[in-house]
Amino acid sequence: MTAVAHSPEPVTGLILSGGGARAAYQVGVLAAIADLLPDTSHNPFPVIVGTSAGAINAVGLACGALQFGEAVRRLTTVWQGFHTHMVYRSDWPGVLRQAARFIGHSLLGLGRDVPVALLDSSPLRELLQRELDFSGIAAAVRHRQLRAVAVTAFGYESGQAVTFYQGRATIDPWFRHRRVGVPTRLQLHHLLASASIPLIFPPVKINREYFGDGAVRQAAPISPALHLGASRVLVIGVSGNAQLEPNAALPRVASTRPPSLAQIGGHMLNSTFIDNLETDIELLERLNQMSALVPPERRPRGLGLNPVEVLVIAPSRPLDQIAARHQRELPKALRLFLRGPGATKAGGAGVLSYLLFEPGYCSELIELGYQDAMTRKADLCRFLGLAEVAQPA
């Protein structure tokens, strides 16, 4: 009698991209998912991967994976109560001191042994020390509510995107071109390194190398989740890029002035945080189309031809426009500091959308994420294997 082969249960991975204050949007999507779950203590994402600010959300979820709903509520409370001074120094003495250090370091070569950047992110360290209990990760793995959690940082000396992961002992490290996976016990410095936007926040030393934001040169943002065992992935993006209809004419742009430093910086940040993720999603969808042409029994093992289901939830409205409406929430010292480069003007609001850690802006992004997720409720329920439930009043 021939044994019947049963397909293994799918392993769902969650991808939380980087994006500074834009990551508040992810919390809204997660809150909607928590409302859709029949059992909010259950973690629907055995594999959680985050980069930059998404790494902070990822580890926050993993630390509370034994009580998923409570972990989401905690994240929501933190983001709704955010103020800029909780992430980086935004007072006059702090801004002026950091600006002087940056100029002295960059132009005069002073203090080269001390990491320097435009902003002082020491308040973020204090916040994460208060809010995160890293022992929850090991407990969730032990109780099989979590397979692995990972954060990615960029090594300035090696030029590699290093994914630090904590999970089951059966997960092997990986080595690819400029991409490696390293098993470790995640700690605070891994998060700070992953969230250190180049030039804006100072790099963080891990072992013998300084690391910065993991989105830099992360050519395959979805790859770590697959290495950790995910067979399908939910990607919560933060781009808010308007999608052109097929055959639609390109918008006509008229400008009489050269781009401001803030406009240039905004495009550079978008290139770092958004472009690689969107390209990786497009590549994965094409590979899925190719694998559909090959019968399952004829797919060579180890070549990555098994299809990977991808569901993407992304902002339905441009986040820079939302940020522009909330620019008055910035502390006065920081508004003046950013006025020269043009970040407080409409054209430079892209930079502002990454740095505006204020309750009005973050709360609006959370609400947008919640509504966007509920708009995709049927897709989410199908993807997570849930029966559709009525939306809470």
Side-chain angles (χ1 to χ4, degrees):
M1 184 176 181
T2 304
V4 177
H6 295 282
S7 299
E9 284 292 316
V11 177
T12 306
L14 175 65
I15 311 290
L16 299 175
S17 60
R22 290 179 173 220
Y25 176 85
Q26 299 169 352
V27 179
V29 176
L30 293 171
I33 292 172
D35 281 347
L36 293 175
L37 292 176
D39 178 8
T40 58
S41 66
H42 173 70
N43 172 31
F45 304 109
V47 173
I48 305 175
V49 175
T51 304
S52 193
I56 295 173
N57 287 339
V59 171
L61 279 183
C63 289
L66 291 177
Q67 294 290 333
F68 179 81
E70 181 58 34
V72 172
R73 282 191 289 274
R74 190 177 183 89
L75 277 174
T76 303
T77 300
V78 170
W79 278 94
Q80 286 180 333
F82 253 142
H83 290 277
T84 302
H85 66 80
M86 299 166 64
V87 181
Y88 52 89
R89 290 284 300 272
S90 57
D91 57 301
W92 279 110
V95 170
L96 294 176
R97 176 176 174 271
Q98 196 67 15
R101 285 187 61 196
F102 185 82
I103 293 173
H105 181 280
S106 303
L107 300 182
L108 304 178
L110 303 176
R112 288 190 176 274
D113 294 332
V114 180
V116 72
L118 284 170
L119 299 173
D120 177 0
S121 60
S122 57
L124 179 61
R125 175 184 292 272
E126 299 170 6
L127 173 69
L128 296 180
Q129 282 178 329
R130 290 195 310 269
E131 295 294 336
L132 295 177
D133 178 7
F134 286 88
S135 65
I137 297 176
V141 173
R142 189 168 58 250
H143 287 85
R144 307 189 75 81
Q145 282 277 46
L146 185 68
R147 178 181 174 85
V149 57
V151 304
T152 300
F154 170 74
Y156 281 103
E157 291 295 328
S158 64
Q160 292 180 322
V162 180
T163 298
F164 299 98
Y165 68 90
Q166 181 175 346
R168 297 181 189 173
T170 55
I171 301 174
D172 295 326
W174 61 89
F175 303 90
R176 299 291 185 268
H177 179 64
R178 297 200 180 278
R179 295 184 286 118
V180 299
V182 178
T184 189
R185 183 173 288 271
L186 290 178
Q187 300 177 48
L188 182 59
H189 55 261
H190 295 108
L191 291 189
L192 293 172
S194 183
S196 293
I197 303 174
L199 298 181
I200 296 178
F201 296 141
V204 177
K205 194 172 185 180
I206 301 177
N207 299 326
R208 291 177 295 179
E209 185 175 9
Y210 278 98
F211 285 85
D213 198 294
V216 177
R217 299 189 72 174
Q218 189 183 26
I222 298 176
S223 175
L226 306 183
H227 282 293
L228 296 172
S231 57
R232 62 182 182 186
V233 291
L234 170 64
V235 180
I236 306 180
V238 293
S239 69
N241 287 337
Q243 299 295 319
L244 290 176
E245 294 294 328
N247 303 319
L250 291 175
R252 299 183 64 180
V253 179
S255 176
T256 58
R257 295 183 178 180
S260 66
L261 286 176
Q263 283 178 292
I264 295 172
H267 285 295
M268 292 179 65
L269 289 172
N270 288 342
S271 176
T272 298
F273 290 112
I274 295 169
D275 291 356
N276 283 342
L277 178 61
E278 294 181 343
T279 301
D280 203 26
I281 292 170
E282 183 178 355
L283 175 61
L284 189 55
E285 289 174 344
R286 290 185 179 181
L287 289 174
N288 284 341
Q289 293 172 358
M290 290 178 58
S291 69
L293 302 176
V294 181
E297 65 274 8
R298 301 189 63 180
R299 293 172 189 161
R301 292 186 177 182
L303 292 185
L305 289 180
N306 290 328
V308 177
E309 184 179 3
V310 182
L311 177 62
V312 181
I313 306 291
S316 57
R317 289 190 282 138
L319 301 191
D320 53 351
Q321 294 180 12
I322 298 175
R325 294 203 311 271
H326 291 274
Q327 62 171 292
R328 301 297 299 178
E329 295 180 25
L330 271 179
K332 290 183 179 179
L334 202 60
R335 283 210 307 273
L336 182 61
F337 184 66
L338 295 175
R339 182 180 300 167
T344 56
K345 298 179 181 178
V351 168
L352 204 62
S353 70
Y354 290 92
L355 299 177
L356 190 52
F357 292 92
E358 292 294 335
Y361 175 64
C362 291
S363 294
E364 185 167 347
L365 294 196
I366 291 172
E367 179 61 24
L368 178 63
Y370 188 94
Q371 295 300 330
D372 285 348
M374 283 303 182
T375 299
R376 304 284 301 279
K377 183 170 116 175
D379 293 333
L380 279 169
C381 288
R382 177 194 54 77
F383 182 83
L384 297 174
L386 305 174
E388 286 198 47
V389 295
Q391 183 174 346

